[in-house]
Amino acid sequence: MTTVTLNTLQCHSTTSGPGADDVYINVDGVQVYGVHEFDDNDSEEIGVSRNFEDKAKIVVRDYDSTNPDDLIGAFWVHKSQAGTGEHAESLTGDGSSYDIYYDVTN
């Protein structure tokens, strides 16, 4: 079994709508983090781990009570990344700019 650990989420700029982003994160369709409020230049330790087989899909969204949730970004992690150190993904959906940092281990 392989594990992805989501370490840190850093917001450089929020989505194009008014106010802060209400961020949540799904791993393979299961919410593992959120809803947490992010403003420009906020950063938060996540510290959530999730097991997967060959690959896992990470999806970061901004919750919106009146419209469909905004997609901040999505990416795949693969078991081949195990043991290669911390990784970073840049996410830029709906006018936002975020970085997420994670590790993959066996």
Side-chain angles (χ1 to χ4, degrees):
M1 187 67 59
T2 306
T3 303
V4 59
T5 301
L6 304 176
N7 299 324
T8 307
L9 183 63
Q10 182 176 20
C11 174
H12 302 288
S13 61
T14 60
T15 58
S16 59
D21 288 344
D22 295 318
V23 175
Y24 65 96
I25 301 172
N26 290 346
V27 177
D28 286 338
V30 176
Q31 185 173 329
V32 298
Y33 173 84
V35 172
H36 292 258
E37 189 173 285
F38 279 80
D39 283 307
D40 291 352
N41 302 311
D42 281 351
S43 181
E44 188 169 315
E45 298 298 315
I46 301 170
V48 171
S49 297
R50 184 86 175 165
N51 294 334
F52 66 97
E53 292 293 328
D54 295 319
K55 62 183 179 179
K57 187 173 186 179
I58 315 298
V59 179
V60 182
R61 293 187 179 274
D62 171 31
Y63 173 76
D64 192 338
S65 63
T66 59
N67 294 309
D69 295 349
D70 298 321
L71 177 64
I72 292 171
F75 61 98
W76 290 92
V77 296
H78 300 269
K79 70 178 184 179
S80 63
Q81 293 174 285
T84 59
E86 187 173 63
H87 298 267
E89 287 288 331
S90 294
L91 310 171
T92 58
D94 196 39
S96 67
S97 175
Y98 282 79
D99 290 325
I100 188 168
Y101 298 89
Y102 65 94
D103 292 302
V104 179
T105 56
N106 283 327

